[in-house]
């Protein structure tokens, strides 16, 4: 029994489950935090903390990554640009619409984003072309996203008093975030293929967005921290750091120990975990319309993943 619990794949699965839970906690907490702390305060605290944490990890465990990162500076710059765009849009969406909707749209646009980027010539070396059945599943995901958009824009989501303009803006920001992070993922994969570790990429991928936060907070005065006690700032910083670092660390460990199918299925349930945590928190009323759209996305995504692993695919050229 104990040997089963502590096999590499089982440990990897626990890491992935921890990732899903920590991601849900992060999104729900950050969505509520906008009422007590400024937008750019969150940006600065989250990404400066993550940069320091992962830079220390690389300096201790794999300092040669820094030399490789300097050699790959053009790609690193693009990673920073796409990362900044993705997270600024994601935070902006969380500030407008409920976390479960943001998480579902963010994840749901990824397949379309991969296909679009491949058409533009941006793909990893080990990318594989989608089968016909997978493309049908991707259309199904887009239908689920369209249904979710209708839920939000028709006032059936859990966000009370959501205007049409705010709902549309939130959906567009979540979509832009998903497309941007898809591009970042492909670029980061390219860097991994040159020998840079995933932690090495994490160490410097947040530099630009941390600088944007710093300029807004300290240069432009876009902050509410000057009205907060020092102890509260410290606790808020610690919470944000843990909630930002934990999902990134756990998914990296989980990816290394599990199969792509296991990783994909657990990740597909991420928006459902966000929905459940959001419901448990109770700040946002539960919308079963949103739940239906989220479960539809999960079912279609899992079907797509099983099709990917059940039938051979050809490499993209």
């Amino acid at each position: 029994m104990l040997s089963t619990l502590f096999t590499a794949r089982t440990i990897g699965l626990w890491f992935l489950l921890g990732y899903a839970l920590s991601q849900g906690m992060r999104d729900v907490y950050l969505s509520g935090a906008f009422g007590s702390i400024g937008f750019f305060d969150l940006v600065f605290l989250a990404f400066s903390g993550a940069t320091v944490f992962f830079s220390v990890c690389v300096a201790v465990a794999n300092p040669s990554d820094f030399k490789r990162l300097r050699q790959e500076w053009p790609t690193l710059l693009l990673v920073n640009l796409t990362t900044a765009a993705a997270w600024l849009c994601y935070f902006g969406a969380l500030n407008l619409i409920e976390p479960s909707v943001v998480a579902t749209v963010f994840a749901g646009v990824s397949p379309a984003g991969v296909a679009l980027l491949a058409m533009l010539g941006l793909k990893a070396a080990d990318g594989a072309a989608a089968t016909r059945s997978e493309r049908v599943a991707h259309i199904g995901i887009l239908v689920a996203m369209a249904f979710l958009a209708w839920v939000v824009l028709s006032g059936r989501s859990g966000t009370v008093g959501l205007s049409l303009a705010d709902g549309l803006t939130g959906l567009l920001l979540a979509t832009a975030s998903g497309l941007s992070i898809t591009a970042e993922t492909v670029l980061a994969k390219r860097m991994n293929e040159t020998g840079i570790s995933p932690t090495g990429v994490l160490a410097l991928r947040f530099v630009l967005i941390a600088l944007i936060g710093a300029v807004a907070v300290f240069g432009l005065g876009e902050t509410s921290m000057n009205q907060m006690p020092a102890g509260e700032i410290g606790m808020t910083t610690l919470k944000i750091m843990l909630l930002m670092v934990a999902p990134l660390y756990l998914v990296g460990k989980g990816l290394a120990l599990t199969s792509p199918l296991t990783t994909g299925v657990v990740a597909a349930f991420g928006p459902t975990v966000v929905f459940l945590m959001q419901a448990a928190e109770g700040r946002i009323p539960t919308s079963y319309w949103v739940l239906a759209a989220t479960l539809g996305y999960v079912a279609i995504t899992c079907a797509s993943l099983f099709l990917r692993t059940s039938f051979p695919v050809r490499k993209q050229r």
Side-chain angles (χ1 to χ4, degrees):
M1 180 66 175
L2 287 175
S3 61
T4 303
L5 288 174
F6 292 101
T7 63
R9 287 189 177 182
T10 305
I11 293 171
L13 178 59
W14 285 115
F15 275 122
L16 290 176
L17 291 174
Y19 158 71
L21 290 172
S22 61
Q23 182 186 37
M25 293 171 62
R26 179 198 68 198
D27 288 358
V28 172
Y29 173 81
L30 292 178
S31 175
F34 285 114
S36 58
I37 190 171
F39 180 90
F40 286 106
D41 292 328
L42 275 176
V43 169
F44 171 70
L45 294 175
F47 296 107
S48 60
T51 298
V52 171
F53 176 83
F54 287 112
S55 293
V56 170
C57 289
V58 173
V60 172
N62 200 13
S64 61
D65 270 351
F66 287 124
K67 181 179 179 180
R68 296 190 183 97
L69 285 164
R70 287 196 299 271
Q71 294 170 344
E72 295 292 326
W73 70 264
T75 307
L76 181 61
L77 177 60
L78 290 175
V79 165
N80 268 266
L81 288 169
T82 50
T83 297
W87 281 102
L88 288 172
C89 289
Y90 197 81
F91 277 20
L94 284 175
N95 199 22
L96 294 171
I97 56 179
E98 64 187 86
S100 59
V101 172
V102 177
T104 305
V105 174
F106 175 82
V109 301
S110 180
V114 170
L116 176 61
L117 291 170
M119 290 172 59
L120 297 174
L122 181 59
K123 55 191 175 184
D126 61 352
T131 63
R132 180 180 299 176
S133 54
E134 277 188 292
R135 287 193 289 270
V136 171
H138 294 168
I139 293 172
I141 292 174
L142 292 178
V143 171
M145 294 301 101
F147 175 66
L148 182 57
W150 172 79
V151 169
V152 173
L153 298 178
S154 64
R156 290 172 169 82
S157 69
T159 305
V160 178
L162 181 67
S163 69
L164 181 63
D166 283 350
L168 180 59
T169 302
L171 289 169
L172 290 174
L173 286 172
T175 300
S177 179
L179 294 174
S180 297
I181 208 66
T182 300
E184 185 279 328
T185 301
V186 175
L187 291 165
K189 180 66 174 176
R190 283 186 169 186
M191 296 180 76
N192 297 152
E193 290 164 355
T194 67
I196 301 170
S197 70
T199 307
V201 178
L202 284 170
L204 296 184
R205 66 176 273 202
F206 302 119
V207 172
L208 177 60
I209 189 170
L211 288 174
I212 291 171
V215 169
V217 170
F218 300 109
L220 303 178
E222 296 288 336
T223 180
S224 61
M225 288 192 292
N226 50 14
Q227 301 172 1
M228 297 170 61
E232 185 178 347
I233 294 175
M235 285 303 299
T236 300
T237 302
L238 180 60
K239 289 177 184 177
I240 293 172
M241 274 194 61
L242 289 174
L243 291 171
M244 290 300 301
V245 168
L248 295 169
Y249 174 80
L250 291 170
V251 73
K253 299 294 288 187
L255 282 169
L257 296 172
T258 57
S259 67
L261 176 61
T262 301
T263 302
V265 168
V266 174
F269 278 92
T272 309
V273 174
V274 177
F275 182 91
L276 293 174
M277 290 194 168
Q278 174 185 300
E281 184 201 31
R283 179 175 51 86
I284 299 173
T286 298
S287 167
Y288 293 102
W289 289 96
V290 171
L291 178 60
T294 302
L295 292 177
Y297 158 75
V298 171
I300 297 168
T301 300
C302 289
S304 175
L305 291 166
F306 280 110
L307 289 170
R308 164 68 77 174
T309 56
S310 299
F311 300 97
V313 294
R314 62 185 182 277
K315 295 284 186 180
Q316 288 183 347
R317 299 296 180 186

